[in-house]
């Protein structure tokens, strides 16, 4: 699955020339459309990027959440956060002219991702950078392994040509709210990340396991309320699994906990595991109805606070989102004025070679042009 078939450029080119001559083919951009097989969206795809540290000989590899349970520890009751008015559920922002696109990028991928070159190839300027996770206890790290102020990572971040969204959690390690024993320590940890990365936009990539931890959800909500009280311009998004029926109860509970604490969650990003574009759209539409009932907002406002982040190419559960599905999602998202489109991940947006595999998130597993998903999802 990690290797792509050899491309037969000459026969394909000959066929296209013949069809063009006959007037039966209209030139278009974006690559060939591939029919996608519908996969079970109830199985949350887990991106399997290897960290730079884990790829070195003898280095430990962070386990996927759920593969080993953490010892239960007593959790002190969260301390009260500063008084903060709850977000106005009737507020309605002006529709965006276009849907912003900020794909995920693993800052620990190996070899290191060159953001300048990637942007030159795909036109992408904004990135969602992951993942900040708990290292030793409540210590914030990249991927649970690498110090937050790692020189190589900091050098990479400086090459991002546009805006950066720093993402916490992810599929391979523990989000800080699960590693910090109390809200005070968690708030301090979050604040240190904001100071080190100078981030003004943060994201929380929460797996099913992270969402099932209600105590952590409470600490996260209280800490974020404090941060937004101190930093009114801080924008927060939650990225959660999307099932066929919409959002699971644990995802809704985490969002409700944040709302009750007074956290302004600007974007709820949905991660479908794969399937046809129409299936993803139907599931996202079901989630839209759930969010309308949760936030008591009008339909247009809820669409604008939603996003979709598909796992592109071949996934662990089978054939994932294909270019044809990405086009359908992009067209739908533009019509609905969604607040964000993303994808896992920028390093997957290229065909595989003898040295790369879809399992390691270094290619898509598809025989498609490099950057095809980026160009489609950003509307270029």
């Amino acid at each position: 699955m990690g290797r792509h078939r050899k491309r037969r450029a000459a026969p394909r080119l000959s066929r296209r020339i013949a069809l063009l001559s006959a007037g039966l083919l209209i030139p278009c951009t974006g690559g060939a459309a591939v029919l996608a097989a519908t996969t079970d969206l109830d199985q949350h795809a887990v991106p399997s990027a290897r960290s730079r540290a884990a790829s070195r000989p003898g280095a430990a590899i962070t386990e996927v959440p759920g593969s080993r349970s953490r010892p239960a520890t007593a959790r002190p009751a969260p301390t009260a956060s500063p008084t903060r008015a709850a977000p106005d559920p009737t507020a309605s922002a002006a529709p965006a002219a276009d849907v912003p696109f900020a794909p995920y990028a693993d800052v620990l991928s190996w070899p290191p991702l060159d953001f300048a070159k990637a942007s030159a190839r795909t036109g992408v300027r904004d990135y969602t950078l992951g993942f900040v996770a708990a290292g030793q206890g409540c210590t914030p790290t990249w991927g649970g392994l690498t110090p937050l102020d790692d020189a190589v990572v900091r050098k990479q971040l400086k090459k991002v040509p546009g805006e950066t969204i720093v993402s916490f959690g992810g599929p391979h390690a523990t989000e800080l709210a699960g590693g910090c024993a109390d809200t005070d320590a968690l708030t301090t940890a979050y604040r240190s990340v904001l100071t080190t990365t100078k981030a003004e936009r943060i994201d929380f990539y929460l797996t099913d396991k992270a969402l099932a931890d209600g105590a952590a959800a409470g600490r996260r909500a209280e800490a974020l309320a404090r941060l937004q009280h101190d930093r009114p311009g801080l924008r927060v998004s939650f990225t959660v699994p999307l099932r066929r029926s919409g959002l699971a109860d644990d995802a809704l509970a985490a969002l409700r906990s944040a709302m009750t604490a007074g956290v302004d969650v600007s974007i709820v990003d949905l991660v479908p595991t794969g399937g046809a574009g129409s299936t993803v759209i139907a599931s996202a539409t079901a989630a839209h109805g759930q969010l309308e009932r949760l936030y008591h907002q009008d339909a247009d406002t809820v669409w604008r606070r939603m996003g979709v982040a598909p796992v592109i190419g071949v996934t662990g559960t089978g054939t994932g989102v294909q270019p044809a599905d990405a086009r359908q999602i992009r067209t739908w998202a533009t019509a609905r004025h969604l607040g964000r489109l993303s994808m896992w991940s920028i390093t997957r947006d290229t065909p595989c070679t003898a040295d790369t595999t879809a399992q390691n998130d270094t290619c898509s597993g598809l025989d498609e042009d490099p950057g095809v998903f980026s160009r489609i999802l950003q509307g270029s």
Side-chain angles (χ1 to χ4, degrees):
M1 182 169 65
R3 297 190 180 185
H4 70 290
R5 60 183 179 275
K6 293 185 178 180
R7 308 184 65 163
R8 295 175 294 179
R12 183 181 299 175
L13 180 58
S14 299
R15 288 195 297 271
R16 289 183 178 176
I17 293 173
L19 288 172
L20 283 168
S21 300
L24 298 177
L25 179 66
I26 298 174
C28 58
T29 59
V34 181
L35 293 177
T38 302
T39 58
D40 185 357
L41 295 184
D42 288 341
Q43 296 180 355
H44 181 207
V46 179
S48 57
R50 293 178 181 269
S51 71
R52 168 166 53 84
S55 65
R56 294 170 182 159
I61 298 177
T62 308
E63 294 184 353
V64 175
S67 61
R68 180 178 297 176
S69 59
R70 295 172 59 86
T73 55
R75 302 292 191 184
T79 57
S81 61
T83 303
R84 175 181 171 85
D88 182 2
T90 63
S92 179
D98 201 359
V99 182
F101 178 60
Y104 278 92
D106 185 352
V107 300
L108 298 183
S109 61
W110 190 259
L113 176 64
D114 189 322
F115 287 100
K117 289 183 178 179
S119 297
R121 183 180 70 250
T122 64
V124 174
R125 294 184 55 80
D126 304 334
Y127 291 90
T128 305
L129 307 178
F131 291 98
V132 174
Q136 296 295 325
C138 196
T139 302
T141 65
W142 290 109
L145 296 169
T146 303
L148 200 63
D149 60 352
D150 181 76
V152 175
V153 175
R154 296 185 71 172
K155 183 178 180 180
Q156 279 184 280
L157 302 190
K158 291 180 180 179
K159 294 183 178 180
V160 175
E163 292 191 52
T164 59
I165 304 170
V166 174
S167 187
F168 293 75
H172 298 290
T174 302
E175 201 275 303
L176 282 165
C180 298
D182 60 76
T183 306
D184 290 340
L186 180 60
T187 304
T188 299
Y190 284 159
R191 188 173 286 118
S192 71
V193 176
L194 298 180
T195 300
T196 301
T197 64
K198 298 180 173 54
E200 296 181 356
R201 300 166 67 186
I202 57 177
D203 170 68
F204 289 83
Y205 189 113
L206 303 175
T207 62
D208 287 324
K209 181 182 178 181
L211 290 169
D213 190 341
R219 291 191 294 274
R220 183 185 303 113
E222 291 293 330
L224 289 177
R226 295 180 184 183
L227 290 178
Q228 285 191 324
H229 178 271
D230 297 337
R231 301 168 180 251
L234 180 65
R235 297 179 61 186
V236 175
S237 61
F238 277 27
T239 297
V240 296
L242 176 66
R243 302 182 184 277
R244 286 187 180 274
S245 58
L247 295 173
D249 290 342
D250 285 342
L252 290 170
L255 293 169
R256 187 178 295 108
S257 177
M259 181 179 66
T260 301
V263 180
D264 182 6
V265 178
S266 59
I267 296 288
V268 179
D269 218 358
L270 311 175
V271 182
T273 60
S278 58
T279 304
V280 174
I281 291 170
S283 300
T285 301
H288 174 268
Q290 293 172 297
L291 293 175
E292 274 190 292
R293 293 187 290 275
L294 175 66
Y295 291 121
H296 302 289
Q297 292 179 320
D298 64 86
D300 289 344
T301 299
V302 173
W303 284 123
R304 292 195 293 273
R305 70 186 301 175
M306 286 176 61
V308 175
V311 181
I312 60 172
V314 176
T315 70
T317 57
T319 303
V321 170
Q322 307 275 323
D325 304 311
R327 291 189 189 92
Q328 191 173 4
I329 292 170
R330 171 70 197 191
T331 299
W332 164 79
T334 301
R336 291 298 188 184
H337 300 291
L338 261 63
R340 180 188 301 166
L341 281 176
S342 185
M343 68 180 187
W344 180 267
S345 65
I346 192 68
T347 53
R348 288 178 62 88
D349 195 10
T350 188
C352 296
T353 67
D355 300 319
T356 60
T357 66
Q359 293 96 325
N360 289 342
D361 287 333
T362 49
C363 59
S364 67
L366 303 176
D367 186 14
E368 297 293 340
D369 294 331
V372 63
F373 285 99
S374 296
R375 289 190 290 273
I376 291 171
L377 290 173
Q378 69 183 323
S380 63

